[in-house]
């Protein structure tokens, strides 16, 4: 079975968050299970592009509205990621340093999607499945079915669309519909949601199957989906959930190249201690104190706006007894607040504003606790990485966090869970964590060992996707 994944991110080529991790790992695991799984994504100007060798596989031209553009598709020559990786180059539109955040993102991803369709048309044997991820490729299932120049060749390809995060929908005004290739105008409503073209809604309407990345998130979407609740309710028959996995080769404390001190389930006490010392030294924090970390996008979804008050409260309440280290970037106002807080909190709070893959690994390994008070968390990978590195997750009961972390007060539990995204609930969970760290070190080690033994790898989920694809035949 041949699968083509289409996405805006894929680690290590380009990553802005968990989407990149998923697209960089799932195809590799699917190939290990005997499938032929490939990835196509935009060609950004990244170090991965410069450091690897590429083969030109296709060239063509297309239109974005009245504007003709030339494109090429290149393939990484050595299959070093464990799957064939194709990059779409559209001069001037995609080859930028960042993945998102440009004024012409709508045009960029529209041109990317049109190109993917045009390229696919040239394949002598079409893939058995096209699996699209998030709204940047949400129009592809529509274009396959209803675009005049694609539908005769691509109409029958089964499409799977995975919603990684319904907060982002890529919607734009109908005025820009002229940028789309001509399509069966009777089908305009397949593109529409509340008077706009909405690529996420179009994907849910047009693709053969829709998946989300945790069971609880699938249920939450019917109540809270940034305006798409009714659509998720209406289309529930084609929606299902497959919990994300992690790349257990990459996120592996035994051989993680970003760590100075490697450790196993049998040597985690000494291993984590050394990593913590190293991390604390680098940030002038006291390694004897419990170390709480937060890693992530500084946005409302992650409840990052609550962090300054919660951090201040925790450090004032537990004077001299707690360290907090934060890595993240996002809303400027939150970044500024956190940055200034460092100066007022007497060396107990440090933050690194920016995106640093290496530091994130050191933090998962060196932290005692990882905080995730998210308001919305479709799956969440951070808590899975934390557990793999023997770090106790402190999570709000929402989405994938609810499905992967059991509170230590419950049968078989190991993490700290709370109900509300509020300073009070975060503070209470910090109190619980400090009590565990100070009074029950044996119990804490028991939880660490338990979590390190879990298999959160993609093995299971990769098979579940293959099983789903097999039900879709044309
Ligand atoms: P989301 O995709 O919503 O941001 P996930 O928990 O699924 O959340 O995945 C986040 C991914 O991005 C993880 O791999 C995490 O380590 C990484 N990450 C987030 N922020 C940063 C940062 N500032 N520096 C390095 N890695 C980060
Ligand atoms: C999204 C979600 C996150 C999920 C990731 C990968 O970015 O916010 O919860 O883990 O996608 O599916």
């Amino acid at each position: 079975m041949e699968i083509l994944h289409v996405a805006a991110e894929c680690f290590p080529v380009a990553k802005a968050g968990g989407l990149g991790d998923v697209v960089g790992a799932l195809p590799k695991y699917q190939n290990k299970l005997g499938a032929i799984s490939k990835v196509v994504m935009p060609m950004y100007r990244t170090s991965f592009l410069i450091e690897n060798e590429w083969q030109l596989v296709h060239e063509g031209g297309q239109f974005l509205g009245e504007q003709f553009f030339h494109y090429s598709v290149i393939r990484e020559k050595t299959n070093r990621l464990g799957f064939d990786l194709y990059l779409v180059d559209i001069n001037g539109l995609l080859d930028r340093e960042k993945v998102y955040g440009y004024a012409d993102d709508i045009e960029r991803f529209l041109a990317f999607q049109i190109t993917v369709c045009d390229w696919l048309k040239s394949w002598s044997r079409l893939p058995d499945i096209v699996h699209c991820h998030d709204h940047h490729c949400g129009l592809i299932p529509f274009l396959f079915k209803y675009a005049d120049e694609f539908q005769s060749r691509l109409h029958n390809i089964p499409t799977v669309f995975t919603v990684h995060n319904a907060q982002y929908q890529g919607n734009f005004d109908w005025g820009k519909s002229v940028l789309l290739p001509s399509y069966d105008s009777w089908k305009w409503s397949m593109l529409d949601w509340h008077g706009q073209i909405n690529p996420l809604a179009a994907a849910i309407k047009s693709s053969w199957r829709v998946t989300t990345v945790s069971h609880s998130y699938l249920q939450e979407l019917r109540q809270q989906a940034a305006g798409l609740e009714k659509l998720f309710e209406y289309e529930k028959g084609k929606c299902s959930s497959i919990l994300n996995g992690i790349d257990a080769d990459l996120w592996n404390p035994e051989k993680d190249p970003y760590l100075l001190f490697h450790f196993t389930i049998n040597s985690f006490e000494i291993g984590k201690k050394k990593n913590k010392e190293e991390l604390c030294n680098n940030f002038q924090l006291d390694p004897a104190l419990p170390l709480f970390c937060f890693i992530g996008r500084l946005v409302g979804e992650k409840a990052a706006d609550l962090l300054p008050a919660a951090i201040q409260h925790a450090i004032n309440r537990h004077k001299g007894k707690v360290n907090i280290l934060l890595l993240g970037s996002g809303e400027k106002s939150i970044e500024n607040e956190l940055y200034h807080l460092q100066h007022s909190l007497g060396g107990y709070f440090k933050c690194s504003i920016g995106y640093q893959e290496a530091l994130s690994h050191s933090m998962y390994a060196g932290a005692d606790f990882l905080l995730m008070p998210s308001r919305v968390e479709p799956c969440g990978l951070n808590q899975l990485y934390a557990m793999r590195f023997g770090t106790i997750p402190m999570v709000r009961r929402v989405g994938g966090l609810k499905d992967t972390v059991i509170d230590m007060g419950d049968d078989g539990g190991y993490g700290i869970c709370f109900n509300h995204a509020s300073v009070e609930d975060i503070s209470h969970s910090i109190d619980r964590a400090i009590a565990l760290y100070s009074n029950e070190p044996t119990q804490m080690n028991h939880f660490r060992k338990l979590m390190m033994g879990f298999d959160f790898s993609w093995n299971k989920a990769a098979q579940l996707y293959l099983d789903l694809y097999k039900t879709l035949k044309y």
Side-chain angles (χ1 to χ4, degrees):
M1 176 187 287
E2 186 170 351
I3 306 124
L4 181 69
H5 290 272
V6 191
E9 300 177 35
C10 172
F11 182 82
V13 192
K15 161 176 166 182
L19 172 65
D21 288 351
V22 169
V23 180
L26 172 61
K28 183 170 86 176
Y29 278 76
Q30 290 182 329
N31 284 337
K32 283 194 216 166
L33 292 169
I36 302 167
S37 191
K38 308 173 169 185
V39 172
V40 61
M41 65 182 293
M43 191 197 89
Y44 310 109
R45 203 179 306 145
T46 63
S47 53
F48 190 91
L49 175 70
I50 296 155
E51 287 158 12
N52 289 280
E53 286 194 45
W54 303 89
Q55 178 196 358
L56 178 69
V57 293
H58 186 71
E59 279 187 293
Q62 257 295 344
F63 285 90
L64 185 65
E66 292 188 342
Q67 182 99 34
F68 178 81
F69 63 86
H70 176 262
Y71 73 83
S72 49
V73 182
I74 55 176
R75 187 179 70 88
E76 192 273 314
K77 272 187 176 171
T78 62
N79 202 284
R80 59 170 282 208
L81 300 182
F83 50 84
D84 277 340
L85 169 71
Y86 298 91
L87 303 184
V88 169
D89 179 21
I90 305 174
N91 219 342
L93 266 186
L94 298 176
D95 57 342
R96 315 237 178 112
E97 274 160 29
K98 287 190 299 175
V99 177
Y100 319 111
Y102 298 99
D104 57 352
D105 276 357
I106 286 165
E107 288 77 6
R108 296 171 73 222
F109 290 107
L110 261 178
F112 168 65
Q113 296 178 82
I114 294 167
T115 301
V116 170
C117 295
D118 199 55
W119 171 50
L120 266 170
K121 241 176 55 178
S122 75
W123 286 32
S124 52
R125 185 194 172 283
L126 292 170
D128 298 295
I129 298 284
V130 170
H131 188 156
C132 300
H133 299 263
D134 272 357
H135 73 81
H136 319 98
C137 36
L139 294 173
I140 286 180
F142 175 88
L143 295 175
F144 280 10
K145 282 183 172 167
Y146 307 119
D148 297 336
E149 58 182 313
F150 302 134
Q151 61 94 21
S152 62
R153 178 91 168 100
L154 308 179
H155 186 89
N156 286 326
I157 304 180
T159 48
V160 172
F161 182 82
T162 297
V163 181
H164 293 267
N165 196 330
Q167 298 298 111
Y168 305 91
Q169 302 176 0
N171 40 322
F172 53 93
D173 288 341
W174 272 97
K176 287 201 173 181
S177 65
V178 291
L179 299 177
L180 292 170
S182 73
Y183 58 90
D184 177 354
S185 54
W186 286 97
K187 300 294 179 196
W188 70 272
S189 66
M190 300 296 278
L191 294 169
D192 184 80
W193 194 253
H194 290 167
Q196 286 199 307
I197 296 184
N198 185 315
L200 190 74
I204 296 161
K205 293 179 191 184
S206 300
S207 52
W208 290 36
R209 284 287 186 281
V210 175
T211 67
T212 65
V213 289
S214 74
H215 181 63
S216 290
Y217 188 56
L218 176 62
Q219 306 203 314
E220 288 163 11
L221 283 171
R222 287 178 212 143
Q223 266 90 52
Q224 197 200 350
L228 297 188
E229 301 77 11
K230 286 211 169 76
L231 182 60
F232 280 108
E233 177 61 35
Y234 184 71
E235 295 283 12
K236 66 182 174 201
K238 64 155 94 151
C239 297
S240 61
S241 65
I242 296 180
L243 186 72
N244 282 338
I246 64 172
D247 187 333
D249 303 326
L250 199 67
W251 297 91
N252 181 354
E254 291 186 38
K255 55 178 193 195
D256 189 321
Y258 293 119
L259 298 189
L260 280 186
F261 307 101
H262 292 130
F263 58 97
T264 68
I265 192 163
N266 296 316
S267 64
F268 70 89
E269 272 188 77
I270 182 72
K272 282 193 71 71
K273 185 166 181 279
K274 285 187 177 166
N275 282 295
K276 181 178 175 185
E277 280 166 3
E278 171 73 17
L279 186 61
C280 286
N281 284 341
N282 289 340
F283 284 91
Q284 291 95 45
L285 293 167
D286 178 358
L289 304 181
L291 178 62
F292 292 80
C293 286
F294 173 94
I295 301 169
R297 296 181 290 120
L298 300 174
V299 295
E301 259 173 76
K302 304 284 179 192
D305 49 303
L306 301 178
L307 291 175
I311 290 168
Q312 214 160 358
H313 186 268
I315 289 176
N316 290 335
R317 182 172 158 83
H318 301 279
K319 271 227 153 40
K321 289 197 197 142
V322 53
N323 275 333
I324 304 179
L325 178 61
L326 178 147
L327 167 63
S329 62
E331 285 171 24
K332 285 287 164 267
S333 58
I334 307 179
E335 290 184 355
N336 289 338
E337 237 184 305
L338 290 166
Y339 191 72
H340 290 300
L341 211 55
Q342 289 191 104
H343 303 293
S344 58
L345 290 177
Y348 296 107
F349 168 62
K350 292 289 163 65
C351 67
S352 177
I353 302 294
Y355 188 92
Q356 294 191 57
E357 192 71 27
L359 176 58
S360 75
H361 286 243
S362 315
M363 288 171 70
Y364 291 119
D368 294 303
F369 302 96
L370 184 92
L371 180 62
M372 297 181 76
S374 310
R375 291 194 176 90
V376 180
E377 197 60 83
C379 177
L381 297 172
N382 297 14
Q383 80 280 13
L384 306 181
Y385 298 145
M387 292 193 262
R388 178 108 168 107
F389 286 82
T391 294
I392 294 184
M394 297 168 58
V395 304
R396 175 165 174 246
R397 288 189 182 90
V398 67
L401 300 176
K402 187 168 154 190
D403 295 357
T404 54
V405 181
I406 303 176
D407 188 88
M408 51 183 67
D410 298 337
D411 262 1
Y414 39 84
I416 294 178
C417 304
F418 49 96
N419 289 331
H420 306 288
S422 66
V423 173
E424 291 71 26
D425 273 28
I426 297 173
S427 302
H428 179 62
S429 67
I430 291 180
D431 293 350
R432 289 181 67 195
I434 293 177
L436 177 74
Y437 182 90
S438 314
N439 309 331
E440 299 184 78
T442 316
Q443 184 68 347
M444 183 155 162
N445 280 338
H446 161 74
F447 294 142
R448 289 173 149 167
K449 192 162 186 162
L450 183 68
M451 295 182 307
M452 285 186 73
F454 294 153
D455 178 7
F456 277 118
S457 78
W458 272 105
N459 283 328
K460 186 169 160 214
Q463 184 61 53
L464 290 174
Y465 276 114
L466 294 182
D467 295 344
L468 174 74
Y469 303 153
K470 277 183 206 143
T471 65
L472 309 177
K473 286 261 155 46
Y474 64 90

